[in-house]
Amino acid sequence: MFIRLLLLLAFIAFIEFYAFQAIRTISRHKWVHYSYIILSAIVVVYIIYSFTKFDRRVGQTHETLFTMGLLLITLMPKIILTLVLFGEDFYRIISGSITHFFGVNEKVGFLPERRKFVSQVAIGIAAVPFLSLLYGMTKGKYNFKVIKQTLFFSDLPASFDGTTITHISDIHSGSFDDAEKIKYAVDLINEQKSDIILFTGDIVNTHATEMHPWIETFKGIEKPKFGKYSVLGNHDYGEYIDWPSQKEKAANFEAIKALHSQIDFQLLLNENVKIKNNEETIALVGVENWGHNFKKAGDLNKAGQGLSPQDFKILMTHDPSHWEYEVKNDEKNYHLTLSGHTHGLQFGIEIPGIIKWSPVQYVYKQWAGLYENLGRYVYVNRGFGFHAYPGRVGIWPEITVIELKKGEKVA
C-alpha cells in the first residue's frame, strides 16, 4: 500500500511538473504561475481528501461522482501536456547532445530552450479532452438519443410483423441530479408508442432508496399493448459496498426487486412469459445477471424451460458477455437478445458509417449496438443513466426502438 501511494505521488508530481512547464513557457507573468500552482494544489488536495473519505458502507454518492469527474477533467489534459513536452525534451536532449559533442552550433547551450509554439500546441490539444469532459458532465449525460433498428426474421409469427420494442437499460437512478431532464427522457420513451417496453437492469447503483425520488417519474412510462418487463443487472445485487450484515443486504435486494412493480414493470427472474397476439405467441425470456467477469445468477436453462427451438424468443440479459459465452450457440435458438451493462464506457467516438470506437471494446466483443451470429442477434443498449464518471462523451444515453419484421432483409 505504501509503495503504491509513493508511485501515485511520483506520477502526480511528474505530470504536474510538465504541465507547469507549459504554463511557464507561454506566460512569463509570475501571477499566472502562482495562480496555476495554487489552483492545482487545491484540486489535488481536494481529490485526495475526497478519496480518503470514501465510505465503502455507502458506495457511490453525488460527491464521489463529482470527485471522479474533477479527477478526469484535470488529469487527462495534464497527461497530454506531459506526453507532448516529454517528447519535446527527448528532442532537446538529442539536439543538445549533437550540439555539445559535435560542435554544430557552439552558441547554443546543451539544452535548447523550450519552444513557446510547442507548449501552445500542447495546450491546444489538451483543451480538447478538457472541453469534451466538461461538456459530458454538464450536457452530455442527458443528451438522450433515440436509435431505431429494423430486424428481419423469416420465422417471426405473422401477427407480430411490425411489432416495435422500446429498450432501455442501466438507469442508475442514484446518479441523477436533474428531474427535468429525466422527465424529458420518459416523455421521449412515451413518444415512441411502441408495443412493448423492455428494461435490462441496473435500476440503482446500490441502494433501493436511490430510486425512491424517481418512482413517480418512471411510473409515467405508459403501459403499451404487450406490457412492460424488466430484469436485474449486476448493480442490483448490492455487491459493491460493505454491508453491516447479510440481513440488511438481503433486505435491500428484496426492496430493489419491489421497485420494478412500483414503476409497473414485471420483473422476470430466470423465467419466461408468452406474449400473445391473434392466437400466435412469442416468448419473452428474462434471466438474472450473468456476466463473464461479474455475478452469475442467471440460469438460461431454467429461464427457457418449456420452450422449443421453434418458438420465437426474445431474451433479456443485462451483460452482453452472456450472449458471447452461452446464448449465441444455445440449442434453443434465441432469436434476439437485449443487453446493456457496458455504457459504451460513457466515452468514445461514434460517427455512423465512419468510426465506432471506445476503450470498452477491448474488454467486450459486443459493447454498443447490433451484432449477429448465424442469424441470431444481440443488441447492446448504451445505457440510460451514468455511473462512476458523471457524464458522457461521444457515447450518448440511449433509448432504442427495434421493429420486428417478417421476412428476409433486402440488401
Side-chain angles (χ1 to χ4, degrees):
M1 180 66 180
F2 180 71
I3 294 176
R4 267 191 272 180
L5 179 60
L6 283 178
L7 290 173
L8 176 61
L9 292 175
F11 175 71
I12 292 173
F14 183 70
I15 64 171
E16 287 292 349
F17 169 79
Y18 271 101
F20 179 67
Q21 298 308 305
I23 299 299
R24 192 174 68 171
T25 302
I26 66 170
S27 176
R28 300 299 182 185
H29 298 292
K30 293 294 183 182
W31 70 268
V32 174
H33 302 166
Y34 291 135
S35 297
Y36 173 82
I37 292 170
I38 292 169
L39 181 60
S40 293
I42 291 172
V43 170
V44 169
V45 169
Y46 175 81
I47 291 172
I48 292 174
Y49 172 77
S50 296
F51 278 123
T52 60
K53 301 299 288 185
F54 179 75
D55 190 345
R56 281 195 57 84
R57 296 169 298 177
V58 176
Q60 179 175 282
T61 64
H62 288 292
E63 289 73 25
T64 59
L65 274 169
F66 173 77
T67 301
M68 182 59 73
L70 184 61
L71 174 65
L72 290 173
I73 208 170
T74 55
L75 184 65
M76 294 301 293
K78 289 182 179 181
I79 288 176
I80 289 174
L81 288 175
T82 299
L83 290 173
V84 174
L85 295 188
F86 187 74
E88 184 190 21
D89 276 353
F90 182 76
Y91 169 80
R92 290 168 69 209
I93 291 171
I94 298 298
S95 177
S97 298
I98 292 173
T99 299
H100 181 75
F101 293 108
F102 298 100
V104 175
N105 188 349
E106 295 179 355
K107 294 181 179 180
V108 179
F110 178 75
L111 278 181
E113 287 189 5
R114 289 192 179 281
R115 290 171 292 177
K116 187 176 181 179
F117 172 74
V118 173
S119 292
Q120 289 173 329
V121 169
I123 290 175
I125 296 173
V128 174
F130 176 81
L131 294 174
S132 297
L133 289 165
L134 183 62
Y135 175 82
M137 293 172 62
T138 55
K139 300 291 185 181
K141 61 186 177 183
Y142 295 127
N143 186 22
F144 293 96
K145 301 295 183 184
V146 176
I147 298 180
K148 297 188 177 183
Q149 185 80 54
T150 301
L151 298 179
F152 291 83
F153 299 93
S154 60
D155 53 351
L156 178 72
S159 62
F160 287 93
D161 184 25
T163 294
T164 53
I165 302 165
T166 289
H167 171 212
I168 60 174
S169 192
D170 300 86
I171 288 175
H172 287 286
S173 54
S175 300
F176 295 154
D177 56 11
D178 191 325
E180 185 178 334
K181 295 295 186 182
I182 302 306
K183 177 63 167 58
Y184 163 77
V186 168
D187 290 342
L188 205 55
I189 292 171
N190 289 332
E191 286 177 15
Q192 307 314 309
K193 302 296 182 184
S194 291
D195 297 305
I196 190 168
I197 296 176
L198 304 179
F199 165 50
T200 49
D202 277 0
I203 196 169
V204 295
N205 296 331
T206 298
H207 298 92
T209 52
E210 296 166 13
M211 186 64 180
H212 289 176
W214 309 100
I215 286 175
E216 289 304 313
T217 303
F218 281 89
K219 199 172 181 178
I221 297 177
E222 298 166 0
K223 187 174 183 178
K225 178 180 179 180
F226 297 133
K228 304 190 296 185
Y229 296 87
S230 57
V231 293
L232 298 173
N234 57 301
H235 280 270
D236 298 323
Y237 295 84
E239 300 276 290
Y240 306 117
I241 70 167
D242 296 330
W243 292 92
S245 67
Q246 282 298 118
K247 183 178 179 181
E248 289 190 44
K249 180 181 179 181
N252 182 69
F253 183 51
E254 292 303 316
I256 285 174
K257 289 191 287 186
L259 290 172
H260 293 256
S261 61
Q262 290 170 32
I263 60 172
D264 300 329
F265 275 74
Q266 182 176 336
L267 179 63
L268 300 181
L269 300 168
N270 294 325
E271 58 188 311
N272 67 79
V273 295
K274 293 292 183 67
I275 307 297
K276 188 174 181 181
N277 191 37
N278 295 337
E279 305 305 319
E280 292 182 307
T281 62
I282 62 175
L284 180 62
V285 185
V287 298
E288 292 193 52
N289 190 77
W290 191 104
H292 183 60
N293 296 312
F294 290 89
K295 189 177 183 68
K296 293 179 174 61
D299 188 333
L300 189 60
N301 290 329
K302 180 180 178 183
Q305 281 184 358
L307 301 179
S308 70
Q310 289 71 42
D311 292 317
F312 189 91
K313 294 172 287 297
I314 298 172
L315 172 69
M316 292 191 291
T317 180
H318 177 70
D319 191 320
S321 67
H322 193 196
W323 187 80
E324 176 64 25
Y325 287 93
E326 285 198 347
V327 176
K328 71 178 184 180
N329 293 314
D330 190 275
E331 61 184 13
K332 283 193 174 176
N333 183 30
Y334 288 91
H335 297 72
L336 172 62
T337 298
L338 301 178
S339 297
H341 180 63
T342 71
H343 300 205
L345 204 65
Q346 297 168 211
F347 177 85
I349 303 171
E350 282 196 273
I351 302 175
I354 299 175
I355 186 172
K356 177 181 174 183
W357 176 87
S358 168
V360 78
Q361 71 188 53
Y362 305 116
V363 180
Y364 289 90
K365 288 185 178 181
Q366 299 81 31
W367 61 274
L370 186 69
Y371 303 84
E372 183 264 343
N373 180 65
L374 301 176
R376 303 177 187 186
Y377 294 92
V378 60
Y379 191 93
V380 185
N381 183 282
R382 293 160 180 82
F384 183 95
F386 51 93
H387 182 258
Y389 162 60
R392 284 177 173 267
V393 178
I395 307 293
W396 312 120
E398 176 179 358
I399 297 165
T400 314
V401 178
I402 297 175
E403 182 181 15
L404 304 180
K405 295 293 292 181
K406 184 174 179 63
E408 301 293 338
K409 182 178 180 180
V410 179

